[in-house]
Amino acid sequence: MSQRSIQAEKLGILGGGQLGRMLIQSALDFNLDIKILDPDENAPCKKVSGEFVIGKLTDFDTVYNFGKDCDIISIEIENVNTDALKRLQSEGKKVFPQPEVIELIQDKRIQKQFYQANNIPTAEFILTENRNDVSNYKDFLPAVNKLGKEGYDGRGVQVLRSESDLGKAFDAKGLLEKLINFKKEIAVIVARNEHGEITSFPPVELVFHPEANLVEYLFAPAEISKAVALEADTIAKKVISKLNMVGLLAVEMFVDQDDQVLVNEVAPRPHNSGHQTIEANYTSQYEQHLRAIFDLPLGSTEALIPSAMVNLLGEDGYSGQAKYEGLNAVMEQKGVHIHLYGKKLTKPFRKMGHVTIVDRDVAALKEKVNFVKQTLKVIA
Amino acid sequence: MSQRSIQAEKLGILGGGQLGRMLIQSALDFNLDIKILDPDENAPCKKVSGEFVIGKLTDFDTVYNFGKDCDIISIEIENVNTDALKRLQSEGKKVFPQPEVIELIQDKRIQKQFYQANNIPTAEFILTENRNDVSNYKDFLPAVNKLGKEGYDGRGVQVLRSESDLGKAFDAKGLLEKLINFKKEIAVIVARNEHGEITSFPPVELVFHPEANLVEYLFAPAEISKAVALEADTIAKKVISKLNMVGLLAVEMFVDQDDQVLVNEVAPRPHNSGHQTIEANYTSQYEQHLRAIFDLPLGSTEALIPSAMVNLLGEDGYSGQAKYEGLNAVMEQKGVHIHLYGKKLTKPFRKMGHVTIVDRDVAALKEKVNFVKQTLKVIA
C-alpha cells in the first residue's frame, strides 16, 4: 500500500488573520507546507508562514493563481472568490470546505433557506429586497435585520425593535429574522473528513459584547441540560452532513425559553468559539481542521478540563500602536494562557488576542474570567 | 509605572533545531520578535522564524554580530561561543542562561566539581587528562568515561566495564564516573526568573534507547515514592539556585538501589524530558523558558493528566528523505499528539520528532506507548 504523504503536499490558505496564524502553529506539528494569501502585508500570518502572498481574496485571478501550485486549498475567512475555487476544484485541486458550501454560507439568505429545506430548526424569517421592502413587515417586528452578504464580525446585523427603527433597515438584499428571546447562545464545532467520519466538540456557551456584537467570552462546557446538549450536537452533525462538507464547521445556536435549539449561523472554518480547545481538549479545533481536510482520522474532542475564553478586544477610545496593560497580573493566575495575534495597531473592539483560562473548579473559572476582563486591556 | 513591553524587545536564540522551533511555536502566543542563528540553512526553525541567520554558533564574530541588535539572547544548544555572549552581556544585553552558567555546563569536568563544591549529590568521579591517564584507574571500573567538552545527544559518553575496555577510553580531557546501578533515571525541569522566583515541574521517568544512548520514551509522573520525588525536587532547585541561573534547567538524575538521588547531568534550556508539558501541563517548558528570561511570573507546572513522550528516532538502516510510516494508525488513538521537527533527511537514530500521549489511566498510557513505538517508523 502506498501511503499518502501529507508533508509532500502544499496547503494554500485564503486569509492570513489570527485563525490562520493558530492553524499554522498547529500545522508545524505535522510539518505541513503552508502558503497564505492575504491583502494585508502586516497580517498576523505574515512572519510565521513560509510563503506569504499579498493579494485580494475576492479577486478571481489572484485566488486562481495562488491556488495553482497548491494540492489542497482551504480558508480562514468566508469572503473569498468562490468562482476561482470552483475552477481550481475542476482542475483537480482539493478545496475544503467545498466552494459550493462557502457560497451557501456567504449568503445568509441561502443559508436560511437551506435550514428550512432540510428541517434544521432556525428562527422564522422573511427574505427582503431592500429598505423599502423591509417596511412592509412591521408586524414581524421585533426582528433581526441581516444583510445577505458580507456581514462579518458583528457587521451587517442589527435589531429592528419597532416601526421607528424601519428607517435604518439595510437597503440591500437581506432578511428579517424573528428576534429570539433566548436563554443562552451556544456553539458546537463539528468536523468531517473525506471518509465521512464526523466528530463534534462539546457545546460551549457564548456571551456577546453588548456594543460590539462580538463574542466577549465563552465557557466550556455550556451550562445546559443533557437533553439540550444532545439536541445541539445532533443539529450540528445534521448541518455538516446535509452540507456534505469536508472540514470544520462552527454552528452557533440559540436556546430559547422553552429549551428549543435553533441554528443562528454557521462558519465553515476554525472559529472564535473553539479557541479554548487548544489548551482544554484532547485535540484542538485547528488540528481537527487539518485532520479533516487531509482526510486523517479525526481526533478526540473530549475536554480535559473546564475552560473559558475571553476575547481581548481593543479598548474603546484607543487607536494606534497596541500596548497590553495588566499582562503580568493575569499571567500570575494559574491556568491562564495569553494569545496575542501579532497585530501592531489597535482600534476599538478590534480582536487583538484572546485569553484561555482552564480550571477544574467552575466557580473559580468564572472568577478568573472576571479578573481577566477587568485587568487586561489593549490600549495605545 | 511604565510597564516593560516584551513585544518591543528582540530575542535572539542561538540554535535553530527542534527546541528552537517549539520555543517559537510558544512565543507566537506572546507575539515576540525572535531571531535565530544556526549553521544549517535547513534547520527546523528556518521557515518559522521571522529572521533566520546562517552562521557558526561557536564563532566569536558570528555570535557577537548576531547578538548586537538583540535585547535578550538565549540558547537552545550549549555548544556556543560564550566569549561573545560575555561581551554582549558587558555591553548591556541580557543573556539568559548567563554565559558563565553555559561555560560551567559545557565542561562536564567543571560541572562535576561544581556539584562536589556545593554538596549536590552526584556519582563519585575522577578527572582524567587523556587515554593513558584513564588506564591508571582500572580499580575504579566499571565506570562511565565522559569527554569534558562537546559531548551531545549521546556522543562523548561510554561505559568502560573492565580493564579490556581501557583502550577505547577518550584520548582527551574527560572524567571517569562510578557506574551507578540505578533503579530509575528521572528528570526535573526547574525555572528561575530574574526576580529569583523558582518553579519545578513534577519528576519524569526516562527510559533510554539501549544503542543510541538517547531518551527513547518517558513517563510523567515518574513512578517513585513521595520521598524520592521531594528529594529530586529539592536537588533540582538547589542546582539552579547555586548556579544563580535565569532560565530553564533540566536536571537529569539517577535513583539508585537505596533510593539515593544523584545528579547525572544538566541542560540550561528546554529539554527532551519536558516535551510532554506542551499537552500535559498547565504551562509548557517552552512558555516557562520565555516567562523566565523575560522576567514574567512563572506559570503553574502542575500536570493536567498523566503523559508519556516517545522520541521518534530515524529507523536504523534508513538514510535519506524521511517518510513516516504508521502515522494514521497512531493518530486514531485518543490522546496521541504528533510532533514532527521539519527535518527533511533521516538517518539512524536522528531525532525526527516526538509523540506525546496523554491518558487518565496509566496502564492504558503504557499500552499506547508500546503501540506507538511498534507502529510509527521514520524510514526513507
Side-chain angles (χ1 to χ4, degrees):
Chain A
M1 187 192 80
S2 104
Q3 208 176 348
R4 174 176 175 187
S5 172
I6 60 172
Q7 285 76 31
E9 299 180 22
K10 191 188 280 284
L11 168 62
I13 306 279
L14 303 182
Q18 61 265 20
L19 299 170
R21 184 172 161 112
M22 289 184 270
L23 195 67
I24 289 175
Q25 262 177 302
S26 176
L28 278 171
D29 289 341
F30 296 109
N31 194 28
L32 299 177
D33 185 9
I34 294 192
K35 183 176 161 182
I36 296 282
L37 178 66
D38 197 278
D40 178 2
E41 62 169 344
N42 293 314
C45 286
K46 174 63 190 296
K47 285 190 178 174
V48 300
S49 46
E51 220 176 321
F52 182 87
V53 179
I54 298 169
K56 215 174 157 188
L57 299 170
T58 51
D59 180 66
F60 181 94
D61 289 339
T62 305
V63 171
Y64 176 69
N65 289 325
F66 172 80
K68 270 198 300 193
D69 73 340
C70 296
D71 300 284
I72 303 196
I73 297 124
S74 191
I75 59 167
E76 60 105 59
I77 184 170
E78 294 90 274
N79 192 15
V80 298
N81 190 297
T82 49
D83 289 331
L85 291 178
K86 283 178 182 169
R87 171 83 164 270
L88 289 163
Q89 193 179 44
S90 75
E91 292 175 3
K93 309 293 184 191
K94 298 196 178 216
V95 182
F96 299 132
Q98 298 93 325
E100 299 73 18
V101 174
I102 301 172
E103 269 181 358
L104 187 150
I105 290 169
Q106 277 176 343
D107 190 332
K108 286 177 184 161
R109 294 156 55 100
I110 303 179
Q111 208 185 120
K112 289 293 280 192
Q113 290 172 288
F114 164 81
Y115 301 140
Q116 200 172 43
N118 287 282
N119 290 313
I120 292 162
T122 190
E124 201 186 326
F125 67 96
I126 295 168
L127 300 184
T128 55
E129 298 306 306
N130 50 42
R131 184 175 297 150
N132 207 34
D133 189 20
V134 171
S135 66
N136 293 325
Y137 302 106
K138 60 177 192 287
D139 294 344
F140 197 72
L141 304 185
V144 181
N145 182 208
K146 293 183 176 178
L147 266 180
K149 290 193 175 187
E150 302 192 3
Y152 185 66
D153 257 4
R155 293 186 290 271
V157 176
Q158 60 183 345
V159 176
L160 305 179
R161 301 212 169 263
S162 61
E163 208 173 328
S164 62
D165 286 342
L166 286 173
K168 67 173 184 180
F170 295 120
D171 197 15
K173 279 178 186 267
L175 59 95
L176 282 176
E177 197 177 77
K178 265 285 178 213
L179 188 65
I180 301 296
N181 179 17
F182 58 80
K183 279 201 297 200
K184 306 251 180 195
E185 289 197 71
I186 61 173
V188 171
I189 293 180
V190 279
R192 184 172 171 277
N193 65 18
E194 279 185 271
H195 274 78
E197 187 191 359
I198 294 179
T199 61
S200 57
F201 285 89
V204 301
E205 186 167 337
L206 309 172
V207 181
F208 281 74
H209 189 285
E211 286 170 74
N213 195 23
L214 290 169
V215 174
E216 186 172 12
Y217 58 96
L218 68 77
F219 290 103
E223 291 177 329
I224 51 179
S225 70
K226 278 193 181 173
V228 170
L230 182 62
E231 174 69 0
D233 187 76
T234 304
I235 290 173
K237 286 176 174 165
K238 185 173 179 184
V239 176
I240 201 166
S241 298
K242 292 287 181 189
L243 286 172
N244 206 23
M245 175 190 149
V246 172
L248 199 72
L249 184 76
V251 183
E252 293 186 74
M253 292 171 270
F254 299 120
V255 182
D256 76 7
Q257 303 298 327
D258 304 320
D259 273 354
Q260 294 299 304
V261 180
L262 303 169
V263 172
N264 178 17
E265 283 180 17
V266 300
R269 51 165 171 81
H271 190 254
N272 204 176
S273 62
H275 291 343
Q276 78 295 341
T277 56
I278 297 173
E279 287 86 9
N281 293 65
Y282 278 83
T283 307
S284 80
Q285 68 163 345
Y286 299 98
E287 178 168 333
Q288 198 76 319
H289 182 69
L290 295 170
R291 285 179 181 240
I293 65 176
F294 281 101
D295 203 26
L296 294 164
L298 299 179
S300 166
T301 55
E302 196 180 307
L304 287 158
I305 185 167
S307 61
M309 188 281 304
V310 179
N311 267 330
L312 194 49
L313 305 176
E315 199 67 12
D316 200 4
Y318 294 90
S319 290
Q321 193 94 14
K323 284 182 203 159
Y324 303 92
E325 198 179 78
L327 210 52
N328 282 28
V330 301
M331 287 181 70
E332 277 169 12
Q333 303 286 316
K334 179 176 172 183
V336 166
H337 293 264
I338 305 289
H339 292 261
L340 303 181
Y341 298 156
K343 298 176 183 175
K344 277 198 178 157
L345 302 178
T346 182
K347 59 186 180 188
F349 308 121
R350 185 172 194 201
K351 285 182 181 168
M352 299 300 288
H354 75 264
V355 179
T356 302
I357 308 159
V358 298
D359 202 303
R360 297 195 200 279
D361 179 73
V362 173
L365 184 65
K366 292 185 176 180
E367 274 175 33
K368 284 180 188 169
V369 166
N370 285 326
F371 179 76
V372 168
K373 277 170 52 191
Q374 284 158 21
T375 309
L376 186 55
K377 307 277 180 199
V378 190
I379 56 171
Chain B
M1 186 192 81
S2 104
Q3 209 177 345
R4 174 177 175 186
S5 172
I6 60 171
Q7 285 77 29
E9 299 181 20
K10 190 187 279 285
L11 168 62
I13 305 279
L14 303 182
Q18 62 264 23
L19 300 169
R21 183 171 161 113
M22 288 184 270
L23 195 67
I24 289 174
Q25 260 177 303
S26 175
L28 278 171
D29 289 341
F30 296 108
N31 193 28
L32 298 177
D33 185 9
I34 293 192
K35 184 177 160 182
I36 295 283
L37 178 67
D38 196 278
D40 178 2
E41 62 169 346
N42 293 314
C45 286
K46 175 64 191 296
K47 284 190 180 173
V48 301
S49 45
E51 219 177 321
F52 182 87
V53 179
I54 298 169
K56 215 174 155 188
L57 299 170
T58 50
D59 180 66
F60 181 94
D61 289 340
T62 305
V63 171
Y64 176 69
N65 290 325
F66 172 81
K68 271 197 301 192
D69 73 339
C70 296
D71 299 285
I72 303 195
I73 297 123
S74 191
I75 60 167
E76 61 105 60
I77 183 170
E78 293 90 275
N79 192 16
V80 298
N81 190 297
T82 50
D83 288 332
L85 292 178
K86 284 178 181 169
R87 171 82 164 270
L88 289 162
Q89 193 180 44
S90 75
E91 291 174 3
K93 308 294 185 192
K94 297 196 179 216
V95 182
F96 299 132
Q98 299 93 324
E100 299 73 18
V101 173
I102 301 172
E103 269 181 357
L104 186 151
I105 290 169
Q106 278 176 343
D107 191 332
K108 287 177 182 161
R109 294 156 56 98
I110 303 178
Q111 208 185 120
K112 289 293 279 190
Q113 289 171 291
F114 163 81
Y115 301 141
Q116 200 172 43
N118 288 283
N119 291 313
I120 292 161
T122 190
E124 201 186 327
F125 67 97
I126 295 167
L127 301 184
T128 54
E129 298 307 306
N130 50 44
R131 183 175 298 150
N132 206 33
D133 189 19
V134 171
S135 67
N136 293 325
Y137 302 106
K138 62 178 192 287
D139 294 345
F140 197 71
L141 305 185
V144 181
N145 181 207
K146 292 182 177 177
L147 266 180
K149 290 191 173 187
E150 301 190 4
Y152 184 66
D153 256 2
R155 294 187 288 273
V157 176
Q158 59 182 347
V159 177
L160 305 179
R161 300 212 169 263
S162 62
E163 210 172 327
S164 62
D165 284 343
L166 287 173
K168 67 173 185 180
F170 294 121
D171 196 16
K173 278 178 187 267
L175 60 93
L176 281 177
E177 196 176 77
K178 266 284 178 215
L179 188 65
I180 301 296
N181 178 16
F182 58 80
K183 280 202 296 202
K184 306 250 180 195
E185 290 197 70
I186 61 174
V188 171
I189 293 180
V190 279
R192 184 172 171 276
N193 66 16
E194 280 185 88
H195 274 77
E197 188 192 357
I198 294 177
T199 61
S200 57
F201 285 89
V204 301
E205 186 168 337
L206 308 172
V207 180
F208 282 74
H209 189 285
E211 287 170 74
N213 196 25
L214 290 169
V215 174
E216 186 173 11
Y217 58 96
L218 68 76
F219 290 103
E223 290 178 328
I224 51 178
S225 69
K226 278 193 181 173
V228 169
L230 182 62
E231 173 70 0
D233 187 76
T234 305
I235 290 172
K237 286 176 174 166
K238 185 173 178 183
V239 176
I240 202 167
S241 297
K242 291 288 180 187
L243 286 171
N244 206 25
M245 176 190 148
V246 172
L248 199 73
L249 184 76
V251 183
E252 293 187 75
M253 291 171 271
F254 299 120
V255 182
D256 75 8
Q257 303 299 326
D258 304 320
D259 272 353
Q260 294 299 304
V261 180
L262 302 169
V263 172
N264 178 17
E265 284 181 15
V266 301
R269 49 165 172 82
H271 190 254
N272 204 176
S273 60
H275 290 342
Q276 77 294 342
T277 56
I278 297 173
E279 287 86 9
N281 293 66
Y282 279 82
T283 309
S284 79
Q285 66 163 347
Y286 300 98
E287 178 168 334
Q288 198 76 318
H289 182 69
L290 295 170
R291 286 179 181 239
I293 65 176
F294 280 101
D295 204 25
L296 295 164
L298 299 179
S300 167
T301 56
E302 199 180 303
L304 287 158
I305 185 166
S307 62
M309 188 281 305
V310 179
N311 267 329
L312 195 49
L313 305 176
E315 198 68 12
D316 200 4
Y318 294 90
S319 290
Q321 194 94 11
K323 285 182 204 160
Y324 303 91
E325 198 179 79
L327 210 51
N328 282 28
V330 300
M331 286 180 71
E332 277 170 11
Q333 303 286 315
K334 179 176 172 183
V336 165
H337 293 265
I338 305 289
H339 292 261
L340 303 182
Y341 298 155
K343 298 176 183 175
K344 276 197 179 161
L345 302 177
T346 183
K347 60 186 180 188
F349 308 121
R350 187 174 193 199
K351 285 181 181 167
M352 299 299 290
H354 76 263
V355 179
T356 302
I357 309 158
V358 299
D359 203 302
R360 296 194 202 278
D361 179 73
V362 173
L365 184 65
K366 291 184 177 182
E367 272 174 35
K368 285 181 187 168
V369 167
N370 286 327
F371 179 76
V372 168
K373 278 169 53 190
Q374 284 158 21
T375 309
L376 186 55
K377 307 278 179 198
V378 190
I379 57 172

